[in-house]
Amino acid sequence: MKLDILYFAWLRERIGLPRETVETDAPTVAALVEELRAREERYALAFSDLAAVRVAIDQELRDFDASLEGAREIAFFPPMTGG
Amino acid sequence: MTAITIRVQQEPFDFGAECAQFAKGRQDTGAVVTFCGIVRDHEDAALEMMEIEHYPGMTERALDKIARDAATRWSLTEVLILHRYGPLTPGERIMMVATASAHRAEAFAAADFLMDYLKSRAPFWKKETTRTGSDWVAAKDSDEAALSRW
């Protein structure tokens, strides 16, 4: 499946791009992260501490064990600091 | 039915004008509570800029959900959440919330709730630039802990 992946804040800076489209068969967010980590050092670095990373599937906050079935847009970002 | 207004914008807003307009002319509303967040300088006056990044699309959805959650918990006539993004300097207004209700207790509680959820459930990130460099503002454990109050 084709997924749009978005990165925000320091994840965007470390990976070096705000969004990309990937072709993947990863069943869960965690599996997708493993695929990304294996790609290049900058991904491995950005995803080295998942406690510091949040994920949204189609603009809803989810957990790393969430299924990617039917997903179109995945976003990775640090804990939010609004207000 | 609660009238909910969500605005996410780069341009400045007039806090006084927003307050004056909010719930104006309603006869079912006895109380309005407003809160405004401002870019605060560091104690050594080192802050040059605060850049706010957000996730267009998800931001509006998240803010709308937070406002609707507040409206199910308290009897509110109106809710406004306004949040800016982009580069801001110390003293500039970042965001505001306003709540309107028949009585003050509900308006106060709802405004407090909105702010707690805005801090850690709306996709905004702050980057501060000081004389010595720039860095992302880290989320505080206390922000997450604050949600358990509700």
Side-chain angles (χ1 to χ4, degrees), chain B residues 17-18 31 37 48 52 64 73 77 83 97 111 125 129 135-136 139 143:
Chain B
E18 296 293 343
E48 292 173 350
I52 299 180
D64 187 62
R73 285 165 176 256
T77 52
H83 207 300
V97 301
W125 303 275
T129 299
D135 209 357
W136 294 95
D143 290 341

Side-chain angles (χ1 to χ4, degrees), chain A residues 6 8-10 12-13 56 58-61 73 75 77-83, chain B residues 53-55 57-58 61 83 95 118-120 122-127 136-137 139:
Chain A
L6 282 66
F8 292 95
W10 56 256
R12 172 178 52 73
E13 292 180 341
D58 293 325
Q59 306 190 351
E60 297 275 355
L61 272 180
E73 182 176 290
F77 43 79
M80 296 159 272
T81 52
Chain B
E53 181 170 329
H54 79 116
Y55 180 176
M58 180 173 170
R61 286 172 63 150
H83 207 300
M95 53 82 60
L118 259 161
K119 280 270 172 200
S120 53
F124 290 100
W125 303 275
K126 294 174 179 147
K127 188 179 196 179
W136 294 95
V137 175

Side-chain angles (χ1 to χ4, degrees), chain A residues 25-80:
Chain A
D25 293 318
T28 63
V29 176
L32 174 65
V33 168
E34 280 315 307
E35 281 183 11
L36 293 170
R37 269 177 175 156
R39 272 176 152 189
E40 279 180 59
E41 185 60 27
R42 58 194 168 115
Y43 289 93
L45 207 65
F47 289 108
S48 59
D49 177 15
L50 289 189
V53 179
R54 300 289 178 268
V55 60
I57 300 178
D58 293 325
Q59 306 190 351
E60 297 275 355
L61 272 180
R62 303 296 297 273
D63 292 322
F64 281 88
D65 57 7
S67 166
L68 291 180
E69 197 181 339
R72 304 189 53 170
E73 182 176 290
I74 311 298
F76 293 104
F77 43 79
M80 296 159 272

Side-chain angles (χ1 to χ4, degrees), chain B residues 18-71:
Chain B
E18 296 293 343
C19 291
Q21 210 52 42
F22 183 73
K24 189 180 179 182
R26 294 192 76 110
Q27 300 192 351
D28 57 355
T29 296
V32 166
V33 168
T34 62
F35 171 87
C36 180
I38 299 167
V39 181
R40 178 168 45 86
D41 200 351
H42 295 185
E43 279 171 14
D44 56 358
L47 185 66
E48 292 173 350
M49 188 182 76
M50 174 184 275
E51 176 103 28
I52 299 180
E53 181 170 329
H54 79 116
Y55 180 176
M58 180 173 170
T59 307
E60 291 79 358
R61 286 172 63 150
L63 295 178
D64 187 62
K65 180 175 188 309
I66 293 167
R68 280 187 287 108
D69 285 350

Side-chain angles (χ1 to χ4, degrees), chain B residues 22 75 101:
Chain B
F22 183 73
S75 176
S101 184

